[in-house]
Each structure stands twice: as C-alpha cells, then as structure tokens.
C-alpha cells in the first residue's frame, strides 16, 4: 500500500482513537481539537506541522517523525518521545500538559518549553543544551546525566537538578529557583 503525501491541510475535530490516522507524510498541516488518545500514529512523518488543542495522551509514536512541529494547548500525558525518530527531530511545546512523558536520551537542544506542565517528565541523558523552559512546572521531573549547558530555567519552578550529575554550565536560574540545585544537600535557606 502506497503512503500518502498530505500538504497544507487543516484537520478539525477528528477522532483518531478508533480510526487510525492514515500513514504518510504530513507537510505544513494543522490539527485542531483532534483526539489521538491511545491511538497508533507510529511511522507517520509530521514536517512543519502544528497541533492545537489536541489530546495526544498515550499515543504510540514509535518511529514517528516530528520535524519542526509545534504543540500548542495540547494534552500529551505519558508520551514516550524516546521511541520516535531522531532524524531532524525538532519540537516546540507551548501551553501544554506534558506530564509523565519521557525524553530519555533525546536530543532537544534549543527546544522551547513555554507555559507548560512537565510534571514527572524523564529527561535522563537527554541533551537540553540552549533550551528554554519559560514558566514551566517541573515537579518531579528527572534530570540525570542531562546536558543543560546554556539552558534557561529562570522562570520555571519545582525542579530538582543535581549539579554533580548534570552539565549546568552557563545555564540560567533565578535566585528563587537555586533551591532546586541545593536540595540534595538537605540545607535550610532563609530570606
């Protein structure tokens, strides 16, 4: 069966929970208020696409390609990004709920995470160099052997990052957030 090439189309309020999104390459397409909950979108290519107000929670993204893809106002619980294609992987997360996702060993340099909940997200061994976390809640997020060189976490909250087990060279933190770098030392900081 030949894969389709879909260019510059808008998909609104489609439900892919029972009927699978057709395999193929989606170029410059926009998905608005679509439901991908627990759906299979494996081996699909999304290039210069935008997902707006979509539910992608628990979607199977094995070998899926996300190249310059924007997720805005999406619910994306439990997504395993480490299983998607590494080729030209580039995403932007804006005003999303991305709890319990995994970016294990993923290259995310220069990625923007804006106004999002990233609770219990696994960033173990990922490359987040020069990435921006602007107004994000990183409660229980895991940073272990993570490259945060030049990353900006000035406006984010609730993270715990061990400076001895992560590269934080030239990363930016606010004075209030520095506590997240000292947690392992079990010290008390007062005003």
């Amino acid at each position: 069966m030949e894969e389709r090439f879909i260019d510059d189309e808008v998909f609104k309020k489609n439900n892919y929970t029972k009927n699978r999104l057709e395999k193929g390459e989606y170029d410059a397409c926009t998905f608005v208020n679509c439901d991908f909950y627990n759906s299979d979108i494996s081996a699909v290519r999304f290039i210069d696409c935008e997902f707006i107000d979509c539910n992608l929670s628990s979607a199977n993204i094995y070998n899926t390609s996300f190249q310059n893809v924007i997720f805005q106002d999406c619910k994306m619980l439990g997504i395993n990004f480490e299983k998607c294609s590494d080729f030209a992987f580039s995403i932007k997360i804006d005003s999303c709920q991305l709890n319990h996702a995994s970016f294990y060993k993923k290259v995310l340099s220069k990625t923007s995470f804006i106004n999002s909940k990233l609770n219990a997200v696994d960033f173990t061994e990922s490359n987040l160099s020069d990435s921006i976390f602007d107004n994000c809640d990183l409660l229980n997020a895991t940073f272990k052997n993570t490259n945060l060189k030049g990353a900006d976490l000035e406006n984010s909250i609730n993270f715990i990052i061990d400076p001895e087990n992560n590269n934080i060279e030239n990363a930016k933190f606010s004075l209030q957030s520095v506590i997240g770098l000292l947690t392992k030392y079990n010290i008390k900081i007062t005003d």
Side-chain angles (χ1 to χ4, degrees), residues 8-143:
D8 202 27
E9 282 192 35
V10 176
F11 300 85
K12 287 187 177 180
K13 297 184 179 182
N14 292 352
N15 186 334
Y16 299 107
T17 59
K18 291 191 176 31
N19 297 322
R20 186 183 198 275
L21 177 70
E22 194 170 351
K23 278 195 180 189
E25 181 174 309
Y26 294 80
D27 196 348
C29 292
T30 303
F31 297 86
V32 181
N33 200 16
C34 293
D35 192 356
F36 294 91
Y37 174 74
N38 207 28
S39 64
D40 184 2
I41 54 173
S42 59
V44 175
R45 288 183 303 281
F46 297 104
I47 302 168
D48 297 321
C49 290
E50 195 168 354
F51 292 84
I52 302 169
D53 198 27
C54 293
N55 181 3
L56 293 116
S57 297
S58 301
N60 176 4
I61 59 169
Y62 179 77
N63 206 28
T64 300
S65 184
F66 294 108
Q67 299 175 30
N68 195 32
V69 172
I70 297 170
F71 297 98
Q72 184 173 345
D73 297 308
C74 291
K75 185 175 180 181
M76 306 167 68
L77 308 178
I79 295 183
N80 291 319
F81 282 97
E82 77 266 12
K83 293 183 179 180
C84 69
S85 173
D86 290 328
F87 181 74
F89 180 79
S90 174
I91 61 171
K92 178 182 178 182
I93 306 292
D94 186 357
S95 303
C96 293
Q97 192 176 41
L98 192 65
N99 301 342
H100 303 285
S102 179
F103 291 99
Y104 177 68
K105 289 190 174 185
K106 205 72 184 164
V107 176
L108 297 156
S109 53
K110 298 184 181 175
T111 299
S112 292
F113 298 91
I114 302 165
N115 298 320
S116 296
K117 282 194 174 200
L118 305 167
N119 296 175
V121 172
D122 186 3
F123 291 110
T124 301
E125 296 185 34
S126 61
N127 180 354
L128 289 161
S129 59
D130 299 313
S131 290
I132 296 170
F133 292 87
D134 186 11
N135 195 34
C136 291
D137 183 354
L138 292 153
L139 184 69
N140 296 321
T142 303
F143 295 92

